C-alpha cells in the first residue's frame, strides 16, 4: 500500500492474497473456478451444488465480474459498459494552466467520471457508463463515447482545449 497526502493506492492482487490468507487462517475454504449449478440457502446454511457434489457453508461469497450461476442469481445483475479515454501528452503550457500533479479523482455526476493524471503527462478519463450495446453498433458507440468523454473533460478543464484523445 502506498500513502500520499491525499490518497491511498494499493495493489489489488496483493490485497486479495492478504484477505485470502487471513480468511484461510480463520477456517475459510476456497473452491476456485468451481462450476456452480445452484445455490440453496436455508436459515442456517447454504448448500452449493457443484459438479460432483454439494458444498455446505454458512456463508458464500461470489467474487466474479459477471454472474456465472444459472437462473436466480443472474436476474440480480445488470450489465454495463464503461468507456475510457487516454489523451495525448499534455503540453507544458497546458500542464501549468491545469496545475497538473499525479492524482485521481471521481466526481459526483451521474454517471460518474474518474479522472487520473498519469506520470507521462496524459489524462485518463473513465465514464459514460451505459447498458451494454449490441455488437453491431459497438464501433460507432466507441467513437461517440470517446468524443463525449473528451467534451466532458473539456467542461471540467477548459485549459485542455485542442487536446486530442490518443486512445478511446
Amino acid at each position: 500500500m502506498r500513502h500520499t497526502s491525499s490518497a491511498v493506492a494499493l495493489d489489488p492482487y496483493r490485497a486479495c492474497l492478504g484477505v485470502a490468507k487471513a480468511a484461510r487462517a480463520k477456517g475459510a475454504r476456497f473452491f476456485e473456478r468451481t462450476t456452480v449449478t445452484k445455490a440453496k440457502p436455508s436459515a442456517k446454511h447454504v448448500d452449493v451444488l457443484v459438479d460432483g457434489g454439494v458444498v455446505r457453508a454458512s456463508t458464500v461469497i461470489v467474487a466474479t465480474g459477471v454472474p456465472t450461476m444459472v437462473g436466480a442469481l443472474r436476474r440480480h445483475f445488470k450489465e454495463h459498459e464503461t468507456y475510457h479515454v487516454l489523451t495525448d501528452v499534455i503540453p507544458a503550457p497546458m500542464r501549468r494552466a491545469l496545475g497538473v500533479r499525479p492524482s485521481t479523482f471521481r466526481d459526483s455526476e451521474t454517471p460518474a467520471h474518474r479522472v487520473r493524471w498519469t506520470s507521462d503527462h496524459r489524462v485518463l478519463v473513465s465514464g459514460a457508463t451505459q447498458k451494454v450495446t449490441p455488437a453491431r453498433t459497438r464501433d460507432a458507440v466507441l467513437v461517440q463515447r470517446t468524443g463525449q468523454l473528451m467534451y466532458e473533460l473539456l467542461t471540467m478543464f477548459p485549459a485542455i482545449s485542442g487536446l486530442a484523445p490518443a486512445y478511446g
Side-chain angles (χ1 to χ4, degrees):
M1 190 175 323
R2 195 174 65 231
H3 294 274
T4 66
S5 61
S6 60
V8 174
L10 61 91
D11 178 337
Y13 176 73
R14 288 179 53 203
C16 184
L17 290 179
V19 169
K21 184 177 178 181
R24 189 175 302 274
K26 297 276 187 180
R29 294 175 54 203
F30 295 85
F31 299 90
E32 190 173 9
R33 296 181 189 220
T34 301
T35 301
V36 174
T37 56
K38 191 169 188 174
K40 293 182 178 179
S42 74
K44 296 184 180 183
H45 62 269
V46 179
D47 285 335
V48 181
L49 283 64
V50 299
D51 292 341
V54 176
V55 176
R56 178 165 284 180
S58 59
T59 304
V60 174
I61 299 172
V62 179
T64 182
V66 294
T68 56
M69 284 194 220
V70 178
L73 183 60
R74 183 172 293 281
R75 75 172 181 258
H76 296 286
F77 289 83
K78 292 183 175 85
E79 290 187 72
H80 289 86
E81 297 172 334
T82 297
Y83 295 83
H84 310 278
V85 173
L86 182 66
T87 67
D88 276 336
V89 174
I90 303 170
M94 228 180 250
R95 287 197 308 269
R96 283 191 292 276
L98 290 171
V100 175
R101 59 179 185 190
S103 63
T104 299
F105 75 86
R106 185 177 174 110
D107 67 15
S108 58
E109 295 295 321
T110 303
H113 299 90
R114 181 172 177 228
V115 179
R116 178 177 185 268
W117 279 267
T118 67
S119 59
D120 64 347
H121 308 296
R122 298 171 182 261
V123 175
L124 175 66
V125 61
S126 304
T129 301
Q130 65 179 27
K131 291 179 182 176
V132 175
T133 56
R136 70 184 187 290
T137 62
R138 201 156 287 143
D139 289 343
V141 170
L142 179 60
V143 170
Q144 189 277 330
R145 293 297 187 216
T146 298
Q148 175 188 342
L149 285 172
M150 285 301 295
Y151 172 76
E152 291 169 353
L153 187 63
L154 177 63
T155 63
M156 289 184 249
F157 302 102
I160 68 158
S161 182
L163 187 63
Y167 302 98

